[in-house]
DNA sequence: TCTAACTTTGCAACCCAGTTGCAACAACTT
DNA sequence: AAGTTGTTGCAACTGGGTTGCAAAGTTAGA
């Protein structure tokens, strides 16, 4: 069933190599964002640099977005179909302090903020830290 | 005039060693947040680990707060006098994409956000990226 | 005052995420 | 087939952050 994977890659102008298919497969199955070191562990066999470049390629082509949640490692998650990685597509991210998993809160746009005119605004990163439902029990 | 410096250290229960006086002096003169590597460069002579532990001590005693602005290095800035590093003291930070300087926007509290009840909220990090007035020209 | 306990400092080494150079390899082009 | 281009694997390196340990400094008790 690589068809959907291939379609997705094709729709973003990314050549569907074996490596890329596999990485996209993993990203698609993920419910939370994943970091490069985590990805490495999922592919005992693959090379770090290749995975790194695969993620960079995906990001450049707006198939995924990167998330700096302050945990020390940048994480990546699939963009939504409608996403163009523009400011209006930005959403809040949630980092669980217990399990260290990071969730895209796609339904929570980042609140507007009116800075003094001496600052021109380009983008906003908003990360909420707390405990996720799995860890709350 | 080390008196004010010493008072500040004393008021936060930090023993006023020479190193700490010097670091606090630098922090007090700073208009923007400063990172450990930057601090190292300011003190050609001092040891990285000592500076590191000095910052950690200051942070633990709530004399400074750390800022992860996504630039790759954590920065530090003096807390305001009234600050207790509680959620209500949290404020927005601004990172200039040109000069890489980070500003505490102390007058801009982080907007409230109502998460689904499946997430318990502990803290929020909000970093605005753009261009500062110095770099706008 | 002398000494023991504790704290701070300096140095070295280490960890780890991220990144790059380069050569081998694979895929397309003419 | 030969050339061109893009992709991969390996190794090495960078830089921020962190720790172990012993020396130096400080504090407090006998
Ligand atoms: Mn996201
Ligand atoms: Mn601040
Ligand atoms: Zn969790
Ligand atoms: Zn600037």
């Amino acid at each position: 069933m690589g068809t959907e994977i291939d379609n997705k890659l094709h729709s973003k102008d990314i050549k569907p190599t074996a490596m890329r298919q596999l990485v996209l497969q993993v990203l698609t199955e993920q419910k939370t964002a994943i970091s490069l070191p985590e990805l490495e562990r999922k592919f005992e066999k693959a090379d770090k640099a290749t995975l790194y470049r695969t993620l960079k390629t995906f990001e450049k082509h707006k198939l995924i977005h990167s998330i700096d949640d302050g945990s020390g490692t940048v994480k990546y998650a699939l963009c939504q179909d409608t996403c163009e990685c523009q400011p209006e597509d930005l959403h809040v991210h949630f980092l669980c302090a217990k399990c260290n998993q990071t969730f895209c809160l796609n339904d929570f746009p980042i609140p507007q903020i009116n800075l003094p005119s001496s600052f021109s605004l380009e983008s906003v990163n908003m990360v909420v830290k707390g405990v996720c439902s799995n860890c709350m029990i």
Side-chain angles (χ1 to χ4, degrees), chain A:
Chain A
M1 296 299 99
T3 330
E4 287 152 35
I5 296 288
D6 283 1
N7 286 346
K8 194 119 200 180
L9 289 172
H10 187 254
S11 77
K12 299 281 182 178
D13 271 313
I14 303 168
K15 283 195 215 160
T17 68
M19 194 74 252
R20 290 169 181 173
Q21 290 167 335
L22 289 169
V23 171
L24 179 51
Q25 185 67 52
V26 167
L27 285 165
T28 305
E29 287 163 1
Q30 284 280 324
K31 279 190 282 288
T32 53
I34 190 171
S35 67
L36 174 57
E38 282 165 351
L39 201 56
E40 269 180 86
R41 272 172 248 130
K42 291 229 175 203
F43 288 99
E44 205 53 55
K45 197 70 187 307
D47 179 62
K48 182 169 65 152
T50 305
L51 292 172
Y52 169 76
R53 287 188 275 234
T54 301
L55 290 174
K56 285 292 181 185
T57 300
F58 284 5
E59 189 182 16
K60 180 154 55 128
H61 288 78
K62 298 179 178 175
L63 175 56
I64 64 178
H65 61 280
S66 66
I67 306 158
D68 188 337
D69 60 12
S71 67
T73 62
V74 175
K75 295 174 186 166
Y76 299 86
L78 279 185
C79 289
Q80 296 203 287
D81 287 335
T82 66
C83 173
E84 284 296 331
C85 290
Q86 293 299 113
E88 60 269 20
D89 296 310
L90 294 175
H91 50 267
V92 174
H93 290 104
F94 182 91
L95 168 66
C96 176
K98 288 247 170 75
C99 65
N100 198 38
Q101 291 201 294
T102 299
F103 302 77
C104 286
L105 304 186
N106 286 305
D107 298 334
F108 291 78
I110 293 185
Q112 274 294 90
I113 190 163
N114 289 322
L115 295 184
S117 62
S118 51
F119 295 102
S120 93
L121 185 156
E122 278 173 13
S123 68
V124 183
N125 182 31
M126 187 167 187
V127 177
V128 176
K129 207 161 134 187
V131 180
C132 80
S133 53
N134 299 330
C135 293
M136 252 191 299
I137 313 207

